[in-house]
Amino acid sequence: MNPLQLDSNFLLMSAAGKLITWQFSDDFREFSDYLDRKTPPSQWNWTPANAWIAFENELKSEKKKTAVTRLKYIDTNGKTLDVQIRALASKKDHFLFLFAPQKTDPETPSLFLQDEKLRSVIFQNSANAILLLNPEDDTILENNQTALQYFEIKSSSEWIGKNFFSLLNNNFPNAEYEMIRKTILKGESFTGDVEFSTFQNKHFWGSVAFRILSSDQNRVVLVQIKNITEKINAERSLLEQSQKIAEHEANLNAIIENSEALIWSVNKNYEILIFNSKFKKVMKESYQYDIFPGFQIFQNNTNPETNKNWKAFYDRAFSGERFSINGTRPTRQNIVVFTETSFYPIRNSEGEITGVSAVSLDITDKKLAEEKFRLLFEYSSNPHILYDESGIFECNPATLTMLRCSDKNYILGKHPSFFSSETKPDGTIVRERSEKVETIALKRGSHTFERFYKRMDGEEFPIEITLTPLTIHHKTVFLAVWHEITERKVYEDSLKRAKDTAEAASKAKSDFLAMMSHEIRTPLNGVIGTVSLLEATSLNLEQKEYLDIIKTSGQNLLILLNDILDLSRIESGHLKLEMQPVSPERLIGDVINLFKAMAEEKGLEIESRISSLVPNWIISDPFRLRQIMINLLGNSVKFTEKGKIILSVEAEKFPNDKLRLIFRVQDTGIGIPEEKLEMLFKAFNQLDSSTTRRYGGSGLGLTISKKLAALMKGEIIVKSQVGRGSEFSLSILTEKLDYKIPAGVQELHSKNLAKIAVISIHDSGLKEQIKKFCERNGFQVKIVRTAREVIRVITEEERIGIFLTDLNLPDMNLPEILNEIRTANSSLKLTVILFMEKEFRTSYYLLTDGLFNRPGFKIFMMFKPVLLEELSKNFEKAFPTQVSKEQTLGNEKKLLSEKIPLKILLVEDNVINQKIAIRLLGKLGYSVDSAMNGVEALASLKNQWYDLIFMDIQMPEMDGYETTHHIRENFTNPKPIIVAMTANAMEGDKEKCIEAGMDAYIAKPIQITDIESSIIHLFQS
């Protein structure tokens, strides 16, 4: 019940007749008594008896928002009470009834009839507005002073002649007013509440009374109006509050009804007031009671002891106490249900306790969980500890066993950190780490960590702790579960030692291979380099034959060395593919050309077939793919004496825009016995391992090829018949490129030059498109957002190939960026592609004035939207092949030093390799200064500037890495080009050289073509 603190007498009911709330003064005490007994108004003592029902039916049938009636009520003393009842309809299908006593009109005193002047004074000074109307046409004949004030006019002349209906609010129905007039003209009086409009277009509510007055001379309608605007506003406020109460009560009823708990309340006579269906169902099932409002909660057939206990509970609540009890109740199936019942006193508006409400929850699952936890806690083999800020307040027997403690009291009250073996320098226990893990557990819900603890006898042991925060009696505590991990730690230590041993062995193997590679390549560089020099001299046939033997032997030794290193890299997982654009047709052509002369010597024909489905360009590792195909085709030529060899390429579509490429090598060679096919791909295995074998080789080629195919997400399959030939199929998973890769870009990547593309584009879609394009062209991509980032990356990186950008970045425009880059590095050369908005196609020159004529910058401009084909053409212009056919024809006799004059320093500690390099560079027309180590190189740089430095890595006194660091730090204006020329050819050596600040890398043994192409790419713009 929610009483309203208003001076109104009211009753709020639902359309269905349900009593919601009410308030009555002493004048209507009997109405209040009826409602306290839940007796609806239709059963009150009205006369006639059905008066209220008739009023309700009128409301519902005509769907009125407001209605007024007068009813007569006979009280207990037999006295008749006239009651005016106003009904207001709310939006929630509720009715608010306002009750007011209706007073009878008093008889007119004789003094009033005798004194005309008195009547005039009373008429003019009445607190109510008084109007006299012509009964014939409803026009206003006369008014008093109050009427002028009500209707905001200054003089009666302003409305004399107007009819009364014009004073009513526009919403008042004309038909209803005509009915009122007919009633009045019959001689009956009429009273009602009406809304009026003033002459200033304001509104007010009036209680209006009509009565017709007649004399010998006149017949008029007397209208009296009392301003009741405040009363109406109060009623509206009351209606709004009543609606809120109704909504609140409906929500409360829904909550009560839908609750899983049993909810009920009783009055001071222990009679049920309200209850939900859950309570009614349980009372029926457990006690066979059909309950209803007013049901006596203590029945005679109930166990007296049970009644006594429940009465004690209710009486405690009647005394003002709020409390909860745990108990049980039976079910129809004789299953015990555990319950928690809470009792609350109910107070009225004066604070008097009038009843008790009770809420009973089924806590059976909770009880079972608690029992399971207790059993787990008590009988678990792992220690379980409960503690709070005061220390441990409970632990299970396993805790005593682990700590080797005989009495729980030695543990209780201590914080778990008490048992930690970690102490501060002063010997006190470390507590801060415990607080840290408790904070983590509170945040995550639980936390597992490791510690070292001490038993009561002082023995230390490793332990894994799982910490979980719990709430017990509205207080946060922690459950710590301990698990001793001594055995696990011993196992982990043994694993770590085994891992360290294996890693040490692997490192020793890698170090040995690196050392052997270096030590073999160093003299091999002298052998192959000397052969290269001798080939350019005049030799007779016998000398040339001996030279070919040396050359072939050196190359075979280099192939074997590279195969051993490749196998080692693959098995250690260090070999990584370098994905770049590849032309399958060109790659196959190059491989066939390698073996063409050998095949012709044996009278063999090599035929190539490429399916029309094979794209012009794919993404793969060109070096490794070429390595596999050389091995497969080389074996076919080696083991085929007559007939022909067919090398074909086919393509199959694959999900997710992928492509499966299949390379087949078919020959008419000696074939392979079926029982020996499994041996083909085993390292260092030969099918014929006898001392009289006809074909040589290390047996590594196919092993490496198969492993490389697996790295390419493919495989090698072999089919063979002895005497009829073999077919080796290589399948790889790749992506198709829809555009041509410029030859200049391919040359650029082949020597590891200018590998980085810097992108600074605002539009995310275009940025992703350009990023993918650059990656497919073999560039490593760096995405930058601001001009400052652009300047930093371009000036710090050594291998920037291209810069793709918008005109304006957030903090700077392109001309300003290029100015900053030129200031930071005056010798830098950079290719730039500028993307302009299409709106500036005809006015771009206004925005780019002075941009294109900048030394060292090659700038191309494109308008959005960007077409990849157009972008590819710009890449072709940006990276042309370094030597065109016309240049080649015109400059055939020119030495490289004449086309690209350079001052060169060679830093090499091996005298033989130093001589070889100087002679090879001399063949290109260059005179070279030399240094035996890094210290001599730095001394030479102080006296002489060099354009190009060839740098060995392993040298006494100062190696190549340290030397490069000093050069980059102290000789920066301009920076010399540094090319690594080293026998360090293991996986990662090239990257290590580039990271150290070198511009390019050549592995020993060196060839004159390697030196020549590096110089062209590094110095020819």
Side-chain angles (χ1 to χ4, degrees):
M1 204 69 62
N2 293 281
L4 293 174
Q5 302 302 318
L6 295 170
D7 294 332
S8 304
N9 296 294
F10 70 89
L11 166 63
L12 180 65
M13 293 176 61
S14 70
K18 181 181 177 183
L19 304 174
I20 297 174
T21 188
W22 60 87
Q23 178 174 290
F24 288 98
S25 64
D26 289 340
D27 293 339
F28 297 103
R29 171 64 67 181
E30 291 188 13
F31 292 177
S32 186
D33 293 340
Y34 276 128
L35 294 169
D36 287 341
R37 296 194 299 271
K38 307 294 184 187
T39 304
S42 59
Q43 299 178 24
W44 298 356
N45 197 20
W46 304 106
T47 179
N50 64 344
W52 181 272
I53 295 173
F55 182 45
E56 276 191 328
N57 291 339
E58 180 187 348
L59 281 174
K60 295 175 183 177
S61 62
E62 298 184 12
K63 297 183 179 178
K64 292 183 178 181
K65 291 187 177 180
T66 180
V68 179
T69 189
R70 291 180 185 174
L71 299 183
K72 293 184 182 295
Y73 172 76
I74 310 298
D75 65 16
T76 53
N77 298 321
K79 183 180 177 181
T80 300
L81 178 65
D82 287 331
V83 184
Q84 177 180 293
I85 303 171
R86 174 190 292 275
L88 302 172
S90 74
K91 297 178 182 177
K92 301 291 184 180
D93 291 331
H94 292 91
F95 288 103
L96 177 66
F97 297 96
L98 302 173
F99 295 75
Q102 185 66 38
K103 297 179 180 179
T104 57
D105 296 330
E107 294 183 3
T108 304
S110 59
L111 179 63
F112 180 79
L113 295 175
Q114 294 171 2
D115 191 337
E116 182 179 345
K117 188 175 181 179
L118 178 62
R119 290 199 304 271
S120 176
V121 170
I122 292 173
F123 178 79
Q124 289 298 335
N125 294 293
S126 172
N128 295 335
I130 300 175
L131 299 173
L132 299 180
L133 308 181
N134 187 335
E136 302 299 328
D137 58 8
D138 197 39
T139 56
I140 299 170
L141 300 175
E142 195 171 342
N143 62 273
N144 68 350
Q145 193 64 31
T146 306
L148 298 179
Q149 295 171 4
Y150 274 17
F151 289 92
E152 298 183 308
I153 57 176
K154 297 179 181 179
S155 172
S156 300
S157 60
E158 293 185 41
W159 63 6
I160 299 301
K162 288 183 177 291
N163 60 40
F164 182 79
F165 182 71
S166 65
L167 302 179
L168 303 179
N169 189 3
N170 293 335
N171 295 329
F172 197 89
N174 185 54
E176 187 174 340
Y177 181 68
E178 288 301 321
M179 290 178 62
I180 293 171
R181 285 195 68 219
K182 289 179 181 178
T183 301
I184 297 165
L185 294 176
K186 289 179 183 178
E188 298 178 18
S189 62
F190 177 84
T191 302
D193 296 339
V194 179
E195 187 177 15
F196 292 95
S197 295
T198 72
F199 277 63
Q200 304 302 322
N201 290 323
K202 296 180 181 177
H203 301 277
F204 72 93
W205 280 87
S207 176
V208 60
F210 295 88
R211 178 182 297 175
I212 193 153
L213 301 176
S214 300
S215 67
D216 295 339
Q217 298 177 358
N218 295 298
R219 186 169 181 262
V220 296
V221 176
L222 173 66
V223 181
Q224 297 184 71
I225 304 170
K226 180 181 180 181
N227 192 325
I228 59 169
T229 303
E230 290 185 2
K231 175 187 173 186
I232 293 297
N233 290 337
E235 290 176 355
R236 287 177 175 172
S237 175
L238 181 62
L239 181 61
E240 290 175 4
Q241 291 187 53
S242 67
Q243 290 172 354
K244 290 179 182 177
I245 290 171
E247 291 174 4
H248 174 74
E249 186 153 331
N251 291 334
L252 185 61
N253 287 337
I255 292 170
I256 292 172
E257 186 59 30
N258 295 316
S259 173
E260 288 297 315
L262 311 184
I263 301 175
W264 72 98
S265 64
V266 298
N267 60 19
K268 286 191 172 183
N269 296 322
Y270 308 105
E271 295 170 339
I272 294 178
L273 295 174
I274 62 168
F275 53 87
N276 64 354
S277 55
K278 190 84 174 177
F279 178 75
K280 182 177 181 179
K281 180 180 178 183
V282 169
M283 292 295 285
K284 178 68 175 176
E285 290 181 351
S286 300
Y287 303 103
Q288 290 76 51
Y289 294 153
D290 289 312
I291 63 171
F292 51 85
F295 181 83
Q296 173 56 245
I297 198 73
F298 299 127
Q299 297 291 311
N300 293 330
N301 58 350
T302 305
N303 186 306
E305 190 64 29
T306 301
N307 283 343
K308 179 182 176 182
N309 291 336
W310 278 92
K311 186 176 183 302
F313 297 146
Y314 289 126
D315 289 346
R316 281 176 64 185
F318 276 122
S319 70
E321 185 180 352
R322 299 162 61 98
F323 62 95
S324 297
I325 59 162
N326 287 343
T328 60
R329 70 165 187 266
T331 64
R332 182 181 293 177
Q333 295 80 19
N334 291 323
I335 298 172
V336 175
V337 175
F338 291 91
T339 61
E340 180 181 76
T341 306
S342 300
F343 296 85
Y344 309 94
I346 301 174
R347 300 177 186 272
N348 62 14
S349 58
E350 285 78 27
E352 178 188 356
I353 297 175
T354 59
V356 171
S357 65
V359 179
S360 182
L361 292 169
D362 183 341
I363 58 169
T364 305
D365 292 341
K366 178 184 174 184
K367 277 287 185 182
L368 291 174
E370 288 175 353
E371 182 63 17
K372 288 178 182 177
F373 178 79
R374 187 189 67 78
L375 292 172
L376 177 66
F377 190 84
E378 290 295 327
Y379 296 102
S380 173
S381 58
N382 285 327
H384 285 58
I385 297 94
L386 286 167
Y387 74 93
D388 55 19
E389 68 276 3
S390 301
I392 298 172
F393 59 84
E394 187 57 88
C395 64
N396 65 348
T399 309
L400 303 180
T401 303
M402 180 175 284
L403 293 175
R404 295 175 186 166
C405 178
S406 58
D407 189 349
K408 183 191 289 188
N409 291 320
Y410 289 128
I411 297 174
L412 299 182
K414 295 180 175 63
H415 192 275
S417 60
F418 173 83
F419 302 99
S420 173
S421 61
E422 302 174 42
T423 57
K424 295 180 182 179
D426 60 359
T428 58
I429 297 168
V430 177
R431 180 69 185 270
E432 292 80 2
R433 293 185 69 189
S434 296
E435 293 172 354
K436 184 177 180 181
V437 295
E438 287 167 6
T439 302
I440 296 172
L442 286 167
K443 184 177 180 181
R444 297 179 181 174
S446 68
H447 180 49
T448 301
F449 55 96
E450 294 180 5
R451 289 285 186 273
F452 275 92
Y453 272 20
K454 285 191 301 185
R455 309 186 205 275
M456 299 300 282
D457 58 9
E459 180 188 349
E460 293 186 8
F461 64 100
I463 190 171
E464 181 183 80
I465 303 172
T466 299
L467 195 63
T468 305
L470 303 174
T471 301
I472 298 179
H473 300 306
H474 309 292
K475 181 180 178 182
T476 299
V477 302
F478 290 96
L479 169 66
V481 180
W482 295 354
H483 177 64
E484 185 172 347
I485 53 174
T486 302
E487 292 183 5
R488 192 179 86 187
K489 282 293 181 183
V490 170
Y491 179 67
E492 286 176 355
D493 288 343
S494 65
L495 281 181
K496 186 176 183 302
R497 286 194 297 272
K499 179 175 175 288
D500 292 342
T501 302
E503 287 178 349
S506 177
K507 186 177 184 303
K509 176 183 174 183
S510 297
D511 292 345
F512 174 76
L513 285 172
M515 181 192 69
M516 291 304 299
S517 171
H518 184 274
E519 294 305 313
I520 293 173
R521 284 176 187 276
T522 299
L524 196 58
N525 183 60
V527 173
I528 293 177
T530 303
V531 168
S532 178
L533 293 171
L534 283 172
E535 281 181 322
T537 64
S538 298
L539 299 171
N540 59 36
L541 290 176
E542 185 179 3
Q543 290 171 329
K544 190 175 186 307
E545 182 181 353
Y546 294 156
L547 189 64
D548 287 342
I549 292 170
I550 296 172
K551 182 178 180 180
T552 302
S553 299
Q555 288 175 341
N556 288 339
L557 182 58
L558 184 61
I559 290 169
L560 176 60
L561 179 62
N562 287 335
D563 282 348
I564 292 172
L565 294 180
D566 278 346
L567 184 62
S568 173
R569 290 169 187 159
I570 293 170
E571 288 180 344
S572 65
H574 290 155
L575 192 142
K576 296 178 182 178
L577 300 177
E578 294 187 11
M579 309 305 284
Q580 294 180 20
V582 182
S583 167
E585 184 177 4
R586 184 179 298 176
L587 184 140
I588 292 304
D590 291 345
V591 172
I592 289 175
N593 286 335
L594 283 175
F595 296 97
K596 196 170 185 181
M598 188 186 302
E600 287 175 352
E601 284 181 10
K602 299 178 72 172
L604 298 174
E605 178 188 351
I606 301 179
E607 182 181 326
S608 65
R609 300 174 184 174
I610 300 181
S611 166
S612 59
L613 296 176
V614 176
N616 292 328
W617 292 92
I618 61 169
I619 294 292
S620 187
D621 185 326
F623 176 77
R624 297 302 176 184
L625 184 57
R626 176 188 172 95
Q627 183 178 352
I628 297 172
M629 295 312 301
I630 286 174
N631 188 273
L632 296 182
L633 185 59
N635 283 345
S636 287
V637 173
K638 181 178 178 180
F639 295 104
T640 303
E641 297 299 330
K642 61 181 179 178
K644 66 178 180 179
I645 299 169
I646 300 172
L647 199 164
S648 61
V649 189
E650 300 169 5
E652 296 176 356
K653 287 186 177 179
F654 208 74
N656 300 324
D657 297 326
K658 299 288 184 181
L659 200 69
R660 188 192 296 279
L661 237 59
I662 304 167
F663 299 82
R664 287 193 174 89
V665 179
Q666 298 168 289
D667 63 46
T668 55
I670 60 175
I672 305 166
E674 186 175 351
E675 66 275 9
K676 292 190 176 183
L677 287 177
E678 291 184 5
M679 296 173 56
L680 273 178
F681 300 103
K682 292 182 178 180
F684 303 105
N685 261 315
Q686 283 280 357
L687 297 186
D688 181 6
S689 58
S690 66
T691 56
T692 59
R693 66 178 179 169
R694 181 178 177 185
Y695 303 101
S698 65
L700 286 176
L702 284 176
T703 304
I704 293 169
S705 295
K706 189 172 182 66
K707 292 179 182 294
L708 288 174
L711 282 176
M712 295 180 176
K713 296 183 174 58
E715 60 180 348
I716 295 178
I717 299 174
V718 60
K719 300 176 184 177
S720 186
Q721 287 185 349
V722 176
R724 300 191 63 178
S726 305
E727 176 185 297
F728 284 79
S729 299
L730 164 68
S731 66
I732 62 170
L733 203 60
T734 183
E735 288 183 59
K736 174 184 175 182
L737 280 178
D738 297 322
Y739 46 83
K740 180 182 178 183
I741 305 300
V745 173
Q746 297 176 63
E747 289 181 359
L748 204 66
H749 297 328
S750 67
K751 293 301 176 183
N752 199 45
L753 304 171
K755 294 277 287 186
I756 298 171
V758 179
I759 298 176
S760 183
I761 299 171
H762 175 70
D763 184 284
S764 58
L766 176 62
K767 179 166 59 183
E768 190 60 33
Q769 183 184 19
I770 300 302
K771 177 177 178 288
K772 191 171 184 180
F773 178 88
C774 290
E775 288 173 340
R776 287 186 165 187
N777 274 273
F779 286 96
Q780 299 170 16
V781 174
K782 287 186 179 290
I783 301 292
V784 291
R785 292 176 176 81
T786 66
R788 288 296 166 198
E789 285 184 82
V790 170
I791 295 165
R792 180 186 59 76
V793 170
I794 290 177
T795 54
E796 291 181 2
E797 290 285 350
E798 298 290 338
R799 298 182 297 157
I800 301 297
I802 192 166
F803 173 37
L804 305 102
T805 181
D806 290 330
L807 179 63
N808 295 307
L809 274 63
D811 50 341
M812 214 178 284
N813 60 32
L814 182 57
E816 293 170 335
I817 294 171
L818 299 184
N819 290 340
E820 292 273 348
I821 292 172
R822 174 59 62 224
T823 302
N825 188 346
S826 59
S827 63
L828 181 75
K829 294 178 181 179
L830 183 65
T831 299
V832 181
I833 293 184
L834 168 62
F835 299 106
M836 293 285 288
E837 301 297 334
K838 62 181 179 181
E839 291 81 5
F840 302 120
R841 189 176 289 274
T842 59
S843 59
Y844 69 89
Y845 57 87
L846 299 174
L847 302 171
T848 58
D849 186 36
L851 175 64
F852 298 99
N853 299 321
R854 292 170 180 267
F857 295 106
K858 189 190 298 182
I859 302 175
F860 299 86
M861 184 172 66
M862 298 181 66
F863 292 98
K864 303 174 185 178
V866 176
L867 300 175
L868 293 184
E869 186 177 348
E870 184 184 352
L871 183 59
S872 182
K873 289 178 181 177
N874 275 328
F875 263 57
E876 200 164 347
K877 294 175 187 176
F879 304 104
T881 52
Q882 300 298 331
V883 184
S884 65
K885 291 181 180 179
E886 292 79 3
Q887 288 176 314
T888 303
L889 293 172
N891 299 327
E892 280 180 352
K893 296 183 180 180
K894 274 190 177 182
L895 292 172
L896 183 61
S897 61
E898 296 177 28
K899 293 181 281 185
I900 307 175
L902 297 171
K903 188 66 178 172
I904 300 175
L905 174 66
L906 172 67
V907 188
E908 168 65 67
D909 66 311
N910 185 283
V911 177
I912 294 173
N913 286 338
Q914 193 181 96
K915 288 181 179 180
I916 295 296
I918 291 172
R919 293 290 178 87
L920 290 176
L921 286 164
K923 291 282 185 181
L924 298 174
Y926 292 105
S927 61
V928 181
D929 293 342
S930 62
M932 293 295 290
N933 53 53
V935 175
E936 290 185 14
L938 294 177
S940 298
L941 279 167
K942 288 178 182 177
N943 301 319
Q944 172 70 50
W945 173 253
Y946 294 98
D947 301 294
L948 174 62
I949 300 173
F950 286 103
M951 183 74 68
D952 190 17
I953 300 302
Q954 292 191 18
M955 297 182 292
E957 296 191 50
M958 185 183 291
D959 64 25
Y961 298 128
E962 188 179 353
T963 306
T964 300
H965 174 74
H966 283 292
I967 293 172
R968 291 300 183 224
E969 195 171 85
N970 302 312
F971 301 92
T972 59
N973 194 17
K975 292 192 297 185
I977 298 296
I978 303 176
V979 177
M981 186 181 284
T982 176
N984 290 0
M986 296 293 286
E987 185 73 23
D989 284 335
K990 178 169 70 175
E991 289 73 17
K992 191 174 179 181
C993 291
I994 300 301
E995 287 172 9
M998 301 181 200
D999 299 280
Y1001 168 94
I1002 299 174
K1004 295 176 182 177
I1006 57 174
Q1007 305 283 344
I1008 192 168
T1009 53
D1010 295 333
I1011 298 173
E1012 184 176 16
S1013 60
S1014 292
I1015 291 174
I1016 289 171
H1017 280 293
L1018 287 166
F1019 290 97
Q1020 183 168 308
S1021 300

